[in-house]
Amino acid sequence: MNRESTLYKVVVLGVVSAVCGVLLSWINGITAPIIKAAAEAKEKANLEMIYPGAEFTAVETYDDPSGKITGVYTAEGKGMVYKAHVIGYSSNGIDFLVAINDDGTFGGFQVLSQSETNGFGSRCFEEDHMNKIRAMSVGDDVPLLSGATITSTALKGGIEAAEALFAGE
Amino acid sequence: MNLFSIFIASLLVNNVILSKFLGMCPFLGVSTKLSSAIGMGVAVIFVILGASVVSWVLYYYALVPLGLEYMELICFILLIASFVQFVEMFVKKTSPALYKSLGIYLPLITTNCAVLFVAMDNITQKYNLIETAVNSVAVAGGFMLMLVIFATIRERLEGSDMPKAWKGNPIAFVVAAIMAIAFSAFAGLV
Amino acid sequence: MSEEKKKKSLIDQLIYDNPVFGLYLGICSCLAVTTTITNALGMGLAVIVVLVLSNILVSLVAPFTPDEIHIPVYIVIIASLVTIVGMVMQAYMPSLYDALGAFIDLIVVNCIILGRAEAFASKNGVAASARDGFMMGLAYTLSVFMMGFIRQILGTGVLALKNPLTDTTLFSLRLLPNGFDIPIFTTPTGAFLVFAVLAALVTFYKNTKDAKAAAAEKARKAAEAKEKAAKAAAAKAAAAAKQAAAKEA
Amino acid sequence: MKFLYAILIAGSLLALNIFLLIANKNTPVPEGCENLVPDCKGCAITSCAIRNSYTKGDTN
C-alpha cells in the first residue's frame, strides 16, 4: 500500500479524525460539567446580590421584541429579576440585572459588566445614579444623566424592555 | 438590533481591522497597490459571506442537535478551507478574467483571521440566517474599505523619505494608528 | 549555513528573527489581548503549549502523511489542540478565558503555529521540534509581554499581575501618579503605536546587525585579497631571483 | 456514544477538504495565467507557509 494511493489517504484521514474526535469528546466530558457548574454558581451569585437568600427559578419562554433581555428569573414571593444586555458607547455593551417587586416598585439594580468611557459613560454606574434607578417603580420615566446620554439612554432601553415584560406577565 | 444597525456597526463602528485587529496579515501584505487591494477585498467579501452562511447552517442543523458545540472550531476551519478550495476551483473553471484579478488571492484567505472570527462571531451573537449574511457582508465591506483607503495612502508613502528602520511595515502601523483615531469617531453611532 | 550561524545565540533567536516584530507573524492576537500583562502572559502560555504539542504531534505524524494532504491533517491537529486548551482554560481559568475571548480560538490561524509545523516540525525529530516550538513560543511570549507591559503602564498607570487560577491579584504597582495615565494606550490606536515603535526597534537592531556583519565580511574579504596579493608578489620575487641566478650561472 | 458523531463529522469535513484540495490542484489554471503570482510585496507574510507550499505544489 504505497503512500500516494487513495486508500492510504483514506486510512490516514480516518485515523486522524478518529483520534481527534475521541480526544475532544473525552476532554469535553471532563471540562463541560465544571464549566456549567461555574456558570451557574456565577449566575446565582449575581442574583443573590439583589434578593439575598431568595429561591430563583429561571423562566424559559418569554417573548421580548426588543431582544435586549437575556434572562428572566422569578424570585419566590419577592418579584422578578431581568438580565439585560444593551449596547452603550463601547461595542462590548453593558450587562445588568434589574429586579421588579411584585408590587411594581424596583427591587434592585446591579451592573454585571460594562466598559463605557470612564469619566463620561461610567458616571451612570456611580452609586447616586444607581440609587435613583433603584428608587423607581414601573411606569415612571427612567432618569437620564446629562453628559452620558448614550449610556443612560441605552440603560433606559433595557429597563423599559424589562418593564414591558413585567407588565406583559 | 435591526439589519441596518448591524450593517453600520460591523462596517464602521467596530471595523474588523481597526477595532478588532483581525485580518492584519493581508492588510499589511496586499495593500501596496490599489488594484491588488480591490481584488483582495472582493475575494474576501465573497469568501466571508459564503463561509459564514455555510458555517451557520452546519452549526445550527448539525452540531447543535447532536450536542457537539465543542467541535465548532475544527468544523469551521475545515469548512472555510474547503470553501476557499471550491471557490478557487470554480473560478478557475468558469472565467480566466475573474481568476486573473481575484483567484490568485483566494489561497491567502484560508489563514485570514477575520474569516474564522466572523464565522464564530455570528454564533456567539446568536444571529439568525439573514442577520448572519448582513453581518458577514458588512464586516467584509469594512475590511475592503480599509484595504482601499490604506492602499491609496501607502502608494504615496513609498516615495516619502523616512528613517530606514521605519520603512515598510512599521510606518504602516503608524498610519493604521492615525486611521484608528479617525474611525473612533464612529463609536456610539449605533 | 556555517555551524556558527546555525547555533544562533539566544538573544539573536529572540530578537533578530523575532516572529512577531520581525516576521510579522501572529500580529492579530498580539495587538488585541495585550491591554494587561496577565492577558499577555495567558495568551503567551496558551501559544507555547499549543506550539510545543503541535510540533511534537506533527513531527510524529509527518512521516506517515502523504505530501498532498499534509496541510489539512496539520490543521486538524492544531485545531483540536487549540480546542482542548480552550476547554481547559474555560474550566480552570474562567476570568482569563473571558478576557481573551475569541482570540484563544484564533490561535489556529496564527501563522506561527502552522508556519513552524510546516517549515520545521515536519522535517525534524520530536525532541528538536519540541525545543524549536518552545523557543518560538518563548519569542512570541516575550513580544506579547513587551506590548502588554508598555500598554498597561502607559494606559492605566498601574502594573498589576493576576493569578488566573485563583483570580487574586499577585501584585499591583502604581507607577504613574493618578492623573498621569494616558488611556489612549488601552485603545486600538495605542496598540498600533506601540507595535510600530517596537517593530521599528527590531528592524533597527536588524539593520545594524546586518551592517556590522556586512562590514566584517568586507573586512575579511579585503584581508584575503591583501594576503593573495602579498603571496603573488613573493612568488614573482622568487621567480625573478631564480632567473637572475640562472643568468649568472 | 456522542463521540461517534464527532468522529463522523470531523472525518467527513476532512474528507471534503482533502477531496476539494486534490480536485483544485488537478484543475488546470486557465491559459494565460500560469505564472500569475499576486503582485504584492509582502504576500509571504499574509499566508505564511501555505502560500509557498501551494506554489511549490503547482510548479513541480
Side-chain angles (χ1 to χ4, degrees):
Chain A
M1 201 165 47
N2 65 0
R3 281 181 51 140
E4 292 311 321
S5 78
T6 48
L7 181 62
Y8 184 80
K9 285 183 187 132
V10 168
V11 165
V12 165
L13 174 129
V15 165
V16 166
S17 48
V19 164
C20 132
V22 167
L23 205 62
L24 277 180
S25 320
W26 177 51
I27 300 274
N28 183 45
I30 297 171
T31 51
I34 300 174
I35 296 170
K36 210 149 66 63
E40 265 151 23
K42 188 156 170 284
E43 195 68 16
K44 196 140 184 29
N46 291 342
L47 293 173
E48 289 293 327
M49 274 192 269
I50 292 194
Y51 289 136
E55 242 329 291
F56 295 99
T57 52
V59 169
E60 290 316 320
T61 57
Y62 53 89
D63 77 334
D64 157 39
S66 70
K68 291 189 171 69
I69 303 294
T70 52
V72 177
Y73 303 88
T74 49
E76 297 326 320
K78 288 238 177 65
M80 305 283 291
V81 182
Y82 301 95
K83 185 165 176 233
H85 174 79
V86 287
I87 308 283
Y89 190 78
S90 102
S91 56
N92 335 13
I94 310 158
D95 284 293
F96 64 87
L97 285 173
V98 63
I100 303 174
N101 299 331
D102 293 338
D103 60 2
T105 61
F106 270 42
F109 178 81
Q110 198 64 37
V111 177
L112 304 178
S113 77
Q114 56 92 10
S115 50
E116 298 302 290
T117 32
N118 43 30
F120 297 97
S122 63
R123 277 179 30 240
C124 290
F125 307 112
E126 274 145 14
E127 274 316 304
D128 58 352
H129 187 66
M130 301 254 273
N131 291 341
K132 273 203 229 116
I133 297 177
R134 288 193 184 107
M136 267 176 57
S137 63
V138 176
D140 16 336
D141 51 5
V142 183
L144 296 180
L145 199 60
S146 68
T149 21
I150 297 178
T151 317
S152 40
T153 26
L155 286 180
K156 182 169 181 290
I159 293 170
E160 271 162 5
E163 280 175 359
L165 267 180
F166 182 78
E169 223 72 79
Chain B
M1 271 246 265
N2 57 31
L3 295 182
F4 184 68
S5 60
I6 294 177
F7 187 82
I8 293 295
S10 298
L11 185 73
L12 294 174
V13 179
N14 14 25
N15 185 290
V16 74
I17 289 182
L18 287 184
S19 76
K20 292 203 169 56
F21 307 110
L22 293 163
M24 287 305 291
C25 317
F27 181 70
L28 285 174
V30 166
S31 55
T32 43
K33 265 169 40 51
L34 196 54
S35 57
S36 59
I38 294 173
M40 181 72 168
V42 172
V44 163
I45 288 183
F46 195 71
V47 167
I48 282 191
L49 178 62
S52 303
V53 167
V54 174
S55 311
W56 188 90
V57 167
L58 175 86
Y59 185 79
Y60 281 109
Y61 291 103
L63 293 186
V64 168
L66 296 171
L68 294 173
E69 283 81 359
Y70 58 89
M71 294 287 287
E72 175 189 20
L73 183 61
I74 300 177
C75 298
F76 280 10
I77 194 81
L78 284 175
L79 211 63
I80 290 171
S82 320
F83 187 77
V84 168
Q85 296 298 330
F86 173 74
V87 167
E88 191 180 352
M89 200 168 64
F90 182 77
V91 167
K92 267 187 199 173
K93 274 211 179 64
T94 47
S95 82
L98 197 60
Y99 182 76
K100 203 171 286 185
S101 67
L102 199 64
I104 34 179
Y105 296 108
L106 287 171
L108 309 187
I109 298 176
T110 319
T111 63
N112 185 336
C113 329
V115 182
L116 180 62
F117 175 79
V118 173
M120 299 182 80
D121 193 43
N122 292 331
I123 306 294
T124 41
Q125 303 277 351
K126 294 188 182 56
Y127 285 146
N128 61 33
L129 192 56
I130 305 138
E131 284 167 349
T132 303
V134 167
N135 184 33
S136 313
V137 171
V139 167
F143 179 79
M144 181 172 168
L145 181 70
M146 292 311 303
L147 228 53
V148 169
I149 296 175
F150 198 64
T152 47
I153 296 177
R154 210 160 174 189
E155 267 173 28
R156 247 161 234 81
L157 217 54
E158 297 298 318
S160 59
D161 55 359
M162 63 190 86
K164 214 156 103 52
W166 283 90
K167 263 211 180 331
N169 288 327
I171 196 70
F173 275 98
V174 174
V175 171
I178 296 167
M179 279 159 68
I181 299 176
F183 265 72
S184 66
F186 290 120
L189 188 66
V190 162
Chain C
M1 279 219 283
S2 66
E3 193 48 43
E4 164 265 325
K5 191 143 190 328
K6 185 178 283 155
K7 191 178 58 46
K8 274 208 160 108
S9 74
L10 182 64
I11 300 155
D12 268 1
Q13 242 178 348
L14 289 185
I15 296 180
Y16 187 82
D17 42 24
N18 181 310
V20 176
F21 300 117
L23 311 171
Y24 298 101
L25 293 174
I27 35 181
C28 308
S29 52
C30 172
L31 285 164
V33 291
T34 51
T35 41
T36 68
I37 48 174
T38 324
N39 297 352
L41 286 176
M43 192 66 182
L45 199 70
V47 167
I48 287 183
V49 165
V50 171
L51 200 47
V52 170
L53 290 180
S54 90
N55 269 4
I56 293 172
L57 281 178
V58 162
S59 59
L60 285 172
V61 166
F64 306 104
T65 51
D67 276 350
E68 255 184 347
I69 65 165
H70 66 275
I71 298 170
V73 169
Y74 293 170
I75 287 183
V76 166
I77 291 174
I78 294 172
S80 2
L81 282 175
V82 169
T83 319
I84 289 171
V85 165
M87 279 191 225
V88 166
M89 205 177 235
Q90 195 174 8
Y92 299 109
M93 308 179 213
S95 67
L96 185 61
Y97 184 82
D98 297 342
L100 297 181
F103 283 94
I104 299 268
D105 296 339
L106 287 182
I107 296 181
V108 174
V109 278
N110 189 335
C111 287
I112 296 181
I113 316 266
L114 198 60
R116 251 8 242 175
E118 176 109 20
F120 191 90
S122 52
K123 302 183 181 63
N124 298 52
V126 177
S129 312
R131 198 167 41 73
D132 171 77
F134 183 72
M135 278 314 295
M136 281 305 261
L138 204 62
Y140 177 83
T141 309
L142 176 76
S143 338
V144 166
F145 178 75
M146 277 308 297
M147 282 277 290
F149 185 78
I150 296 172
R151 283 185 68 192
Q152 188 173 22
I153 291 184
L154 292 181
T156 57
V158 171
L159 191 68
L161 184 66
K162 281 215 303 270
N163 172 348
L165 289 164
T166 59
D167 205 11
T168 55
T169 322
L170 294 180
F171 70 87
S172 166
L173 238 65
R174 171 155 283 283
L175 295 170
L176 297 178
N178 208 330
F180 285 83
D181 54 339
I182 312 154
I184 201 166
F185 279 99
T186 53
T187 61
T189 324
F192 284 125
L193 281 180
V194 172
F195 191 92
V197 169
L198 289 175
L201 279 177
V202 168
T203 327
F204 179 72
Y205 173 78
K206 260 191 192 178
N207 294 349
T208 42
K209 199 123 179 60
D210 292 351
K212 224 182 294 151
E217 192 68 24
K218 204 152 9 70
R220 205 165 47 76
K221 223 181 250 87
E224 253 165 43
K226 212 167 343 62
E227 205 184 285
K228 219 186 279 99
K231 234 200 274 80
K236 208 164 347 62
K242 205 159 6 39
Q243 225 173 14
K247 229 187 287 80
E248 269 158 27
Chain D
M1 192 35 213
K2 237 167 42 153
F3 63 86
L4 278 185
Y5 298 128
I7 298 172
L8 206 66
I9 285 191
S12 54
L13 277 174
L14 189 57
L16 176 76
N17 190 10
I18 288 174
F19 166 71
L20 284 172
L21 189 70
I22 294 170
N24 183 13
K25 193 157 290 176
N26 296 345
T27 46
V29 176
E31 70 296 335
C33 355
E34 274 70 23
N35 38 32
L36 205 64
V37 177
D39 55 359
C40 57
K41 190 161 50 55
C43 263
I45 307 173
T46 56
S47 64
C48 52
I50 285 193
R51 179 65 194 161
N52 317 347
S53 73
Y54 275 169
T55 38
K56 217 175 9 207
D58 294 349
T59 42
N60 61 17

